[in-house]
Coordinates of all heavy atoms in Angstrom, one line a residue:
M1 N 0.9 -1.2 0.0 CA 0.0 0.0 0.0 C 0.9 1.2 0.0 O 1.8 1.3 0.8 CB -0.9 0.0 1.2 CG -1.7 1.2 1.3 SD -3.0 1.2 2.7 CE -2.5 0.0 3.8
H2 N 0.6 2.2 -0.8 CA 1.4 3.4 -0.9 C 0.5 4.5 -0.3 O -0.7 4.6 -0.6 CB 1.7 3.7 -2.4 CG 2.5 4.9 -2.5 ND1 2.0 6.2 -2.7 CD2 3.8 5.1 -2.5 CE1 2.9 7.1 -2.8 NE2 4.1 6.4 -2.7
I3 N 1.1 5.3 0.6 CA 0.4 6.4 1.3 C -0.4 7.3 0.3 O -1.5 7.6 0.5 CB 1.3 7.2 2.2 CG1 1.8 6.3 3.3 CG2 0.6 8.4 2.8 CD1 2.9 6.9 4.2
G4 N 0.3 7.7 -0.7 CA -0.3 8.7 -1.6 C -1.4 8.1 -2.5 O -2.1 8.9 -3.2
S5 N -1.5 6.8 -2.5 CA -2.5 6.2 -3.5 C -3.9 6.4 -3.1 O -4.8 6.2 -3.9 CB -2.2 4.7 -3.6 OG -2.4 4.1 -2.4
S6 N -4.2 6.8 -1.9 CA -5.6 6.9 -1.5 C -5.9 8.3 -1.0 O -6.8 8.5 -0.2 CB -5.9 5.9 -0.4 OG -5.1 6.2 0.8
G7 N -5.2 9.3 -1.5 CA -5.6 10.7 -1.1 C -4.9 11.3 0.0 O -3.7 10.9 0.3
R8 N -5.5 12.2 0.7 CA -4.9 12.9 1.8 C -4.7 12.1 3.0 O -5.4 11.2 3.3 CB -5.9 14.1 2.1 CG -6.1 15.0 1.0 CD -7.2 16.0 1.3 NE -7.1 16.5 2.6 CZ -7.6 17.6 3.0 NH1 -8.2 18.4 2.2 NH2 -7.5 18.1 4.3
Y9 N -3.6 12.5 3.7 CA -3.3 11.9 5.0 C -2.7 12.9 6.0 O -2.2 13.9 5.5 CB -2.4 10.7 4.8 CG -1.0 11.0 4.4 CD1 0.0 11.2 5.3 CD2 -0.7 11.2 3.0 CE1 1.3 11.5 4.8 CE2 0.5 11.5 2.6 CZ 1.5 11.7 3.5 OH 2.8 12.0 3.1
A10 N -2.8 12.6 7.2 CA -2.1 13.4 8.3 C -1.0 12.6 8.9 O -1.1 11.4 8.9 CB -3.1 13.8 9.4
H11 N 0.0 13.3 9.3 CA 1.2 12.6 9.9 C 1.4 13.1 11.3 O 1.5 14.3 11.5 CB 2.4 12.8 9.0 CG 3.6 12.1 9.6 ND1 3.8 10.7 9.4 CD2 4.6 12.5 10.3 CE1 4.9 10.3 10.0 NE2 5.4 11.4 10.6
L12 N 1.4 12.2 12.2 CA 1.7 12.5 13.6 C 3.1 12.4 13.9 O 3.7 11.3 13.9 CB 0.8 11.6 14.5 CG 0.9 11.8 16.0 CD1 0.5 13.2 16.4 CD2 0.0 10.8 16.7
E13 N 3.8 13.5 14.1 CA 5.3 13.5 14.3 C 5.6 13.7 15.7 O 5.2 14.7 16.4 CB 5.8 14.6 13.4 CG 7.4 14.7 13.5 CD 8.0 13.5 12.8 OE1 7.5 13.1 11.8 OE2 9.0 13.1 13.4
G14 N 6.4 12.9 16.3 CA 7.1 13.1 17.6 C 6.1 13.0 18.8 O 6.3 13.7 19.7
W15 N 5.1 12.1 18.7 CA 4.3 12.0 19.9 C 5.1 11.2 21.0 O 5.7 10.2 20.7 CB 2.9 11.5 19.7 CG 2.8 10.1 19.0 CD1 3.1 9.8 17.8 CD2 2.2 9.0 19.6 NE1 2.8 8.4 17.6 CE2 2.2 7.9 18.7 CE3 1.6 8.7 20.9 CZ2 1.7 6.7 18.9 CZ3 1.1 7.4 21.1 CH2 1.2 6.4 20.2
Y16 N 5.0 11.7 22.2 CA 5.8 11.1 23.3 C 5.0 11.3 24.6 O 4.4 12.4 24.8 CB 7.1 11.8 23.4 CG 8.0 11.4 24.5 CD1 8.8 10.3 24.4 CD2 8.1 12.2 25.7 CE1 9.6 9.9 25.5 CE2 8.9 11.8 26.7 CZ 9.6 10.6 26.6 OH 10.5 10.2 27.6
V17 N 5.0 10.3 25.4 CA 4.4 10.4 26.7 C 5.5 10.2 27.8 O 6.3 9.2 27.7 CB 3.3 9.3 26.9 CG1 2.7 9.3 28.3 CG2 2.2 9.5 25.9
V18 N 5.7 11.1 28.7 CA 6.7 11.0 29.7 C 6.5 9.7 30.5 O 5.4 9.3 30.7 CB 6.8 12.2 30.6 CG1 7.3 13.5 29.8 CG2 5.5 12.5 31.3
P19 N 7.6 9.1 30.9 CA 7.5 7.8 31.6 C 6.5 7.7 32.8 O 5.7 6.8 32.9 CB 8.9 7.5 32.1 CG 9.8 8.2 31.1 CD 9.0 9.5 30.8
E20 N 6.4 8.8 33.6 CA 5.5 8.7 34.7 C 4.0 8.7 34.3 O 3.2 8.5 35.2 CB 5.8 9.8 35.8 CG 5.7 11.2 35.2 CD 7.1 11.8 34.7 OE1 8.0 11.0 34.4 OE2 7.2 13.0 34.6
H21 N 3.7 9.0 33.1 CA 2.3 9.0 32.6 C 2.0 7.9 31.7 O 0.9 7.9 31.2 CB 2.0 10.4 32.0 CG 2.0 11.5 33.0 ND1 1.0 11.7 33.9 CD2 2.9 12.5 33.2 CE1 1.3 12.7 34.7 NE2 2.4 13.2 34.3
R22 N 2.9 7.0 31.4 CA 2.7 5.9 30.5 C 1.8 4.9 31.1 O 1.6 4.8 32.3 CB 4.0 5.3 30.1 CG 4.8 6.2 29.2 CD 6.1 5.5 28.8 NE 6.9 6.5 28.1 CZ 8.2 6.4 28.0 NH1 8.9 5.4 28.5 NH2 8.9 7.4 27.3
R23 N 1.1 4.1 30.3 CA 0.2 3.0 30.7 C -1.0 3.6 31.4 O -1.6 2.9 32.2 CB 0.9 2.0 31.5 CG 2.2 1.4 30.7 CD 2.7 0.2 31.3 NE 1.8 -1.0 31.2 CZ 1.7 -1.8 30.2 NH1 2.3 -1.6 29.1 NH2 0.8 -2.8 30.3
R24 N -1.4 4.8 31.1 CA -2.6 5.4 31.7 C -3.5 5.9 30.6 O -4.5 6.6 30.9 CB -2.2 6.6 32.6 CG -1.3 6.3 33.8 CD -1.1 7.6 34.6 NE -0.2 7.3 35.7 CZ 0.3 8.2 36.5 NH1 -0.1 9.5 36.3 NH2 1.1 7.9 37.5
G25 N -3.2 5.5 29.4 CA -4.1 5.9 28.3 C -3.9 7.3 27.7 O -4.7 7.7 26.9
V26 N -2.8 7.9 28.1 CA -2.5 9.3 27.6 C -2.3 9.3 26.1 O -2.8 10.1 25.3 CB -1.3 9.9 28.3 CG1 -0.9 11.2 27.7 CG2 -1.6 10.1 29.8
G27 N -1.5 8.3 25.6 CA -1.2 8.2 24.2 C -2.5 7.9 23.4 O -2.7 8.5 22.3
S28 N -3.2 7.0 23.9 CA -4.5 6.6 23.2 C -5.5 7.8 23.2 O -6.1 8.0 22.2 CB -5.2 5.4 24.0 OG -4.4 4.3 23.8
E29 N -5.5 8.6 24.2 CA -6.4 9.7 24.3 C -5.9 10.8 23.2 O -6.8 11.4 22.6 CB -6.5 10.4 25.6 CG -7.5 11.5 25.7 CD -7.7 12.1 27.1 OE1 -7.4 11.4 28.1 OE2 -8.2 13.2 27.2
L30 N -4.6 10.9 23.1 CA -4.1 11.8 22.1 C -4.6 11.4 20.7 O -5.1 12.2 19.9 CB -2.6 11.8 22.1 CG -1.9 12.6 21.0 CD1 -2.2 14.1 21.1 CD2 -0.4 12.3 21.0
I31 N -4.5 10.1 20.4 CA -4.9 9.6 19.1 C -6.4 9.8 18.9 O -6.9 10.2 17.9 CB -4.5 8.1 18.9 CG1 -3.0 7.9 19.1 CG2 -5.0 7.6 17.6 CD1 -2.2 8.8 18.1
E32 N -7.2 9.5 20.0 CA -8.6 9.6 19.9 C -9.0 11.1 19.6 O -10.1 11.3 19.0 CB -9.3 9.2 21.2 CG -9.2 7.7 21.4 CD -9.6 7.2 22.8 OE1 -10.2 8.0 23.5 OE2 -9.4 6.0 23.1
R33 N -8.3 12.0 20.1 CA -8.6 13.5 19.8 C -8.2 13.9 18.4 O -8.8 14.8 17.8 CB -8.0 14.3 20.9 CG -8.6 14.2 22.2 CD -8.0 15.0 23.3 NE -8.6 14.8 24.6 CZ -9.4 15.6 25.2 NH1 -9.7 16.7 24.6 NH2 -9.9 15.3 26.3
I34 N -7.1 13.3 17.9 CA -6.7 13.6 16.6 C -7.6 13.0 15.5 O -7.8 13.7 14.4 CB -5.2 13.1 16.4 CG1 -4.3 13.9 17.2 CG2 -4.8 13.2 14.9 CD1 -2.9 13.4 17.3
E35 N -8.1 11.9 15.7 CA -8.9 11.2 14.7 C -10.1 12.0 14.2 O -10.3 12.2 13.0 CB -9.3 9.8 15.1 CG -8.2 8.8 15.2 CD -8.5 7.5 15.8 OE1 -9.7 7.3 16.3 OE2 -7.7 6.6 15.9
P36 N -10.9 12.6 15.1 CA -12.0 13.4 14.6 C -11.6 14.7 13.9 O -12.2 15.1 13.0 CB -12.8 13.8 15.9 CG -12.3 12.9 17.0 CD -11.0 12.4 16.6
W37 N -10.5 15.2 14.3 CA -9.9 16.4 13.7 C -9.6 16.0 12.2 O -9.9 16.8 11.3 CB -8.6 16.9 14.4 CG -8.0 18.1 13.8 CD1 -8.3 19.4 14.2 CD2 -7.1 18.2 12.8 NE1 -7.5 20.2 13.5 CE2 -6.8 19.5 12.6 CE3 -6.4 17.2 12.0 CZ2 -5.9 20.0 11.6 CZ3 -5.6 17.7 11.0 CH2 -5.3 19.0 10.8
C38 N -9.0 14.9 12.0 CA -8.7 14.4 10.7 C -10.0 14.2 9.9 O -10.1 14.7 8.7 CB -7.9 13.1 10.7 SG -6.2 13.4 11.3
L39 N -10.9 13.4 10.4 CA -12.1 13.1 9.7 C -12.9 14.3 9.3 O -13.5 14.3 8.3 CB -12.9 12.1 10.5 CG -12.3 10.7 10.7 CD1 -13.0 9.9 11.7 CD2 -12.1 10.0 9.3
H40 N -12.9 15.3 10.2 CA -13.6 16.5 9.9 C -13.1 17.2 8.7 O -13.8 18.0 8.0 CB -13.6 17.5 11.1 CG -14.3 18.8 11.0 ND1 -15.7 18.8 10.9 CD2 -13.8 20.0 10.8 CE1 -16.0 20.1 10.7 NE2 -14.9 20.8 10.6
R41 N -11.8 17.0 8.4 CA -11.1 17.6 7.2 C -11.0 16.6 6.1 O -10.2 16.8 5.2 CB -9.8 18.1 7.7 CG -9.9 19.3 8.6 CD -8.7 19.5 9.5 NE -8.8 20.7 10.3 CZ -9.6 20.7 11.4 NH1 -10.2 19.7 11.8 NH2 -9.7 21.8 12.1
A42 N -11.8 15.6 6.1 CA -11.8 14.5 5.0 C -10.5 13.9 4.9 O -10.0 13.5 3.8 CB -12.3 15.1 3.7
I43 N -9.8 13.7 6.0 CA -8.5 12.9 6.0 C -8.8 11.6 6.7 O -9.1 11.5 7.8 CB -7.4 13.7 6.8 CG1 -7.2 15.1 6.1 CG2 -6.2 12.9 6.9 CD1 -6.3 16.0 7.0
A44 N -8.6 10.5 5.9 CA -9.0 9.2 6.4 C -7.8 8.3 6.7 O -8.0 7.2 7.0 CB -9.9 8.5 5.4
R45 N -6.6 8.9 6.7 CA -5.5 8.1 7.0 C -4.5 8.9 7.9 O -4.2 10.1 7.6 CB -4.7 7.7 5.7 CG -3.5 6.9 6.0 CD -2.9 6.2 4.8 NE -3.7 5.1 4.5 CZ -3.9 4.6 3.3 NH1 -3.2 5.1 2.3 NH2 -4.7 3.6 3.1
L46 N -4.1 8.3 9.0 CA -3.2 8.9 9.9 C -1.9 8.1 9.9 O -1.9 6.9 10.1 CB -3.8 9.0 11.3 CG -2.9 9.6 12.4 CD1 -2.6 11.0 12.1 CD2 -3.7 9.5 13.8
T47 N -0.8 8.7 9.7 CA 0.5 8.0 9.7 C 1.4 8.5 10.9 O 1.1 9.6 11.4 CB 1.3 8.2 8.4 OG1 1.7 9.6 8.3 CG2 0.5 7.8 7.2
S48 N 2.3 7.7 11.2 CA 3.3 8.1 12.3 C 4.5 7.3 12.0 O 4.5 6.3 11.2 CB 2.7 7.8 13.7 OG 3.6 8.2 14.7
D49 N 5.6 7.6 12.6 CA 6.8 6.8 12.4 C 7.6 6.7 13.7 O 7.3 7.4 14.7 CB 7.7 7.3 11.3 CG 8.1 8.8 11.5 OD1 8.2 9.2 12.7 OD2 8.4 9.5 10.5
T50 N 8.6 5.8 13.7 CA 9.5 5.7 14.8 C 10.8 5.2 14.4 O 11.0 4.8 13.2 CB 8.9 4.8 15.9 OG1 9.7 4.9 17.1 CG2 8.8 3.4 15.5
T51 N 11.8 5.1 15.3 CA 13.1 4.5 15.0 C 13.5 3.5 16.1 O 12.8 3.5 17.2 CB 14.2 5.6 14.9 OG1 14.4 6.2 16.2 CG2 13.9 6.7 13.9
A52 N 14.5 2.8 15.9 CA 15.0 1.9 16.9 C 15.4 2.6 18.2 O 15.5 1.9 19.3 CB 16.2 1.0 16.4
E53 N 15.6 3.9 18.1 CA 16.0 4.6 19.3 C 14.9 4.6 20.4 O 15.1 4.9 21.5 CB 16.3 6.1 18.9 CG 16.8 7.0 19.9 CD 17.1 8.4 19.4 OE1 17.2 8.5 18.1 OE2 17.3 9.3 20.2
Y54 N 13.7 4.3 20.0 CA 12.5 4.3 20.8 C 11.9 2.9 20.9 O 10.9 2.7 20.2 CB 11.5 5.3 20.4 CG 12.1 6.7 20.3 CD1 12.4 7.3 19.1 CD2 12.3 7.5 21.5 CE1 13.0 8.6 19.0 CE2 12.8 8.7 21.4 CZ 13.2 9.3 20.2 OH 13.8 10.5 20.1
P55 N 12.4 2.0 21.6 CA 12.0 0.6 21.5 C 10.6 0.3 22.0 O 9.9 -0.7 21.6 CB 13.0 -0.2 22.4 CG 13.6 0.9 23.3 CD 13.6 2.2 22.5
L56 N 10.0 1.2 22.8 CA 8.6 1.1 23.3 C 7.6 1.6 22.3 O 6.4 1.3 22.3 CB 8.4 1.8 24.6 CG 9.3 1.4 25.8 CD1 9.0 2.3 27.0 CD2 9.1 -0.1 26.1
S57 N 8.1 2.3 21.3 CA 7.2 3.0 20.3 C 6.3 2.0 19.5 O 5.2 2.2 19.3 CB 8.0 3.9 19.4 OG 7.1 4.6 18.6
P58 N 6.9 0.9 18.9 CA 6.1 0.0 18.1 C 4.9 -0.5 18.9 O 3.8 -0.6 18.3 CB 7.0 -1.1 17.7 CG 8.4 -0.4 17.7 CD 8.3 0.5 18.9
A59 N 5.1 -0.9 20.1 CA 3.9 -1.4 20.9 C 2.9 -0.3 21.2 O 1.7 -0.6 21.2 CB 4.4 -2.0 22.3
A60 N 3.4 0.9 21.5 CA 2.5 2.0 21.7 C 1.7 2.3 20.4 O 0.4 2.6 20.5 CB 3.2 3.3 22.1
H61 N 2.3 2.3 19.3 CA 1.6 2.5 18.0 C 0.6 1.4 17.8 O -0.6 1.7 17.4 CB 2.6 2.5 16.8 CG 3.3 3.8 16.6 ND1 4.4 4.2 17.3 CD2 3.0 4.8 15.8 CE1 4.8 5.4 16.9 NE2 3.9 5.8 16.0
A62 N 1.0 0.1 18.0 CA 0.0 -1.0 17.8 C -1.2 -0.8 18.8 O -2.3 -1.0 18.3 CB 0.7 -2.3 18.0
H63 N -0.9 -0.5 20.0 CA -2.0 -0.3 21.0 C -3.0 0.8 20.5 O -4.2 0.7 20.8 CB -1.4 0.0 22.3 CG -2.5 0.1 23.4 ND1 -3.1 -1.0 23.9 CD2 -3.0 1.2 24.0 CE1 -4.0 -0.6 24.8 NE2 -4.0 0.7 24.9
A64 N -2.4 1.8 19.8 CA -3.3 2.9 19.4 C -4.0 2.6 18.0 O -4.7 3.5 17.5 CB -2.4 4.2 19.2
G65 N -3.8 1.4 17.5 CA -4.5 1.0 16.3 C -3.7 1.2 15.0 O -4.2 0.9 13.9
F66 N -2.4 1.5 15.1 CA -1.6 1.6 13.9 C -1.1 0.3 13.5 O -0.9 -0.6 14.3 CB -0.3 2.5 14.2 CG -0.6 4.0 14.3 CD1 -0.9 4.6 15.5 CD2 -0.6 4.8 13.2 CE1 -1.2 5.9 15.6 CE2 -0.8 6.2 13.3 CZ -1.1 6.7 14.5
H67 N -0.8 0.1 12.2 CA -0.1 -1.1 11.8 C 1.1 -0.7 10.9 O 1.1 0.4 10.4 CB -1.0 -2.1 11.0 CG -1.5 -1.5 9.7 ND1 -2.6 -0.7 9.6 CD2 -1.0 -1.6 8.4 CE1 -2.8 -0.3 8.4 NE2 -1.9 -0.8 7.6
V68 N 2.1 -1.6 10.8 CA 3.3 -1.3 10.0 C 3.0 -1.2 8.5 O 2.4 -2.2 8.0 CB 4.4 -2.3 10.3 CG1 5.6 -2.1 9.4 CG2 4.8 -2.3 11.7
L69 N 3.3 -0.1 7.9 CA 3.1 0.0 6.5 C 4.4 -0.5 5.7 O 4.3 -1.2 4.8 CB 2.9 1.5 6.1 CG 2.7 1.8 4.6 CD1 1.5 1.2 4.0 CD2 2.7 3.3 4.5
T70 N 5.5 0.0 6.2 CA 6.8 -0.4 5.6 C 7.9 -0.1 6.6 O 7.8 0.7 7.5 CB 7.1 0.3 4.3 OG1 8.2 -0.3 3.7 CG2 7.3 1.8 4.5
E71 N 9.0 -0.8 6.4 CA 10.2 -0.5 7.2 C 11.2 0.1 6.2 O 11.2 -0.3 5.0 CB 10.7 -1.7 7.9 CG 9.8 -2.2 9.0 CD 10.3 -3.2 9.9 OE1 11.6 -3.3 10.0 OE2 9.5 -4.0 10.4
M72 N 12.0 1.0 6.6 CA 12.9 1.7 5.7 C 14.3 1.9 6.3 O 14.4 2.1 7.5 CB 12.3 3.1 5.4 CG 13.2 4.1 4.9 SD 12.5 5.8 4.8 CE 10.8 5.7 4.5
T73 N 15.3 1.8 5.5 CA 16.7 2.1 5.9 C 17.1 3.3 5.1 O 16.9 3.4 3.8 CB 17.6 0.9 5.5 OG1 17.2 -0.2 6.3 CG2 19.0 1.3 5.9
I74 N 17.6 4.3 5.7 CA 18.0 5.5 5.0 C 19.5 5.5 5.0 O 20.2 5.4 6.0 CB 17.5 6.8 5.8 CG1 16.0 6.8 5.8 CG2 18.0 8.1 5.1 CD1 15.3 7.9 6.6
F75 N 20.1 5.7 3.8 CA 21.5 5.8 3.6 C 21.9 7.2 3.5 O 21.2 8.1 3.0 CB 21.9 5.0 2.3 CG 21.6 3.6 2.4 CD1 20.4 3.1 2.0 CD2 22.5 2.7 2.9 CE1 20.1 1.7 2.0 CE2 22.3 1.3 2.9 CZ 21.0 0.8 2.5
V76 N 23.2 7.5 3.8 CA 23.8 8.8 3.7 C 25.2 8.6 3.2 O 25.9 7.7 3.6 CB 23.7 9.6 5.0 CG1 24.5 9.0 6.1 CG2 24.2 11.1 4.7
K77 N 25.6 9.5 2.3 CA 27.0 9.5 1.9 C 27.5 11.0 2.1 O 26.9 11.9 1.5 CB 27.1 9.1 0.4 CG 28.5 9.1 -0.1 CD 28.5 8.7 -1.6 CE 29.9 8.7 -2.1 NZ 30.0 8.3 -3.5
E78 N 28.5 11.1 2.9 CA 29.1 12.4 3.1 C 29.9 12.8 1.9 O 30.8 12.0 1.5 CB 29.9 12.5 4.4 CG 29.1 12.1 5.7 CD 28.0 13.1 6.0 OE1 28.0 14.3 5.6 OE2 27.0 12.7 6.7
L79 N 29.7 14.0 1.4 CA 30.5 14.4 0.2 C 31.4 15.5 0.7 O 31.0 16.5 1.2 CB 29.6 14.9 -0.9 CG 28.5 13.9 -1.3 CD1 27.6 14.6 -2.4 CD2 29.2 12.7 -1.9
A80 N 32.7 15.3 0.4 CA 33.7 16.3 0.8 C 34.1 17.1 -0.5 O 34.0 16.6 -1.6 CB 34.9 15.6 1.4
D81 N 34.5 18.3 -0.3 CA 35.0 19.1 -1.4 C 36.3 18.4 -1.9 O 37.2 18.0 -1.2 CB 35.4 20.5 -1.0 CG 34.1 21.3 -0.6 OD1 33.1 21.0 -1.1 OD2 34.3 22.3 0.2
R82 N 36.3 18.3 -3.2 CA 37.5 17.6 -3.8 C 38.4 18.6 -4.5 O 38.0 19.5 -5.1 CB 37.1 16.5 -4.8 CG 36.4 15.4 -4.0 CD 35.9 14.3 -4.9 NE 35.1 13.4 -4.1 CZ 35.1 12.1 -4.2 NH1 36.0 11.6 -5.1 NH2 34.4 11.4 -3.5

């Protein structure tokens, strides 16, 4: 599935719940408040991303109803003046 193939989407960037408030539904409530905002604007797809730097994030995403679309490796090549 390609994100752009079905129209508009919203992207949730950098959502984070501080450790002392985790497992209390804070993240789920955030998503629940974003969904109607999206739907009101005819946006039927919500995306988010994470990295290995945040090992708890995949489970939090799954709990909030997200599923994995794709995994990606980003390459970089530093170019020096020659």
Side-chain angles (χ1 to χ4, degrees):
M1 176 174 19
H2 184 268
I3 293 173
S5 65
S6 63
R8 299 169 42 154
Y9 65 95
H11 183 78
L12 181 57
E13 183 67 38
W15 60 292
Y16 176 81
V17 177
V18 294
E20 59 268 20
H21 292 286
R22 291 181 186 158
R23 304 192 65 83
R24 296 184 185 177
V26 174
S28 293
E29 186 173 339
L30 172 68
I31 302 303
E32 289 171 10
R33 290 177 182 256
I34 291 169
E35 290 173 356
W37 183 93
C38 292
L39 293 171
H40 180 73
R41 288 157 180 81
I43 298 170
R45 177 168 287 153
L46 179 61
T47 66
S48 183
D49 58 26
T50 191
T51 66
E53 186 177 345
Y54 304 102
L56 300 177
S57 186
H61 279 83
H63 184 76
F66 288 89
H67 66 273
V68 175
L69 177 66
T70 187
E71 293 189 27
M72 159 187 334
T73 301
I74 299 174
F75 295 90
V76 63
K77 180 179 181 180
E78 302 295 337
L79 303 177
D81 292 335
R82 294 180 188 222

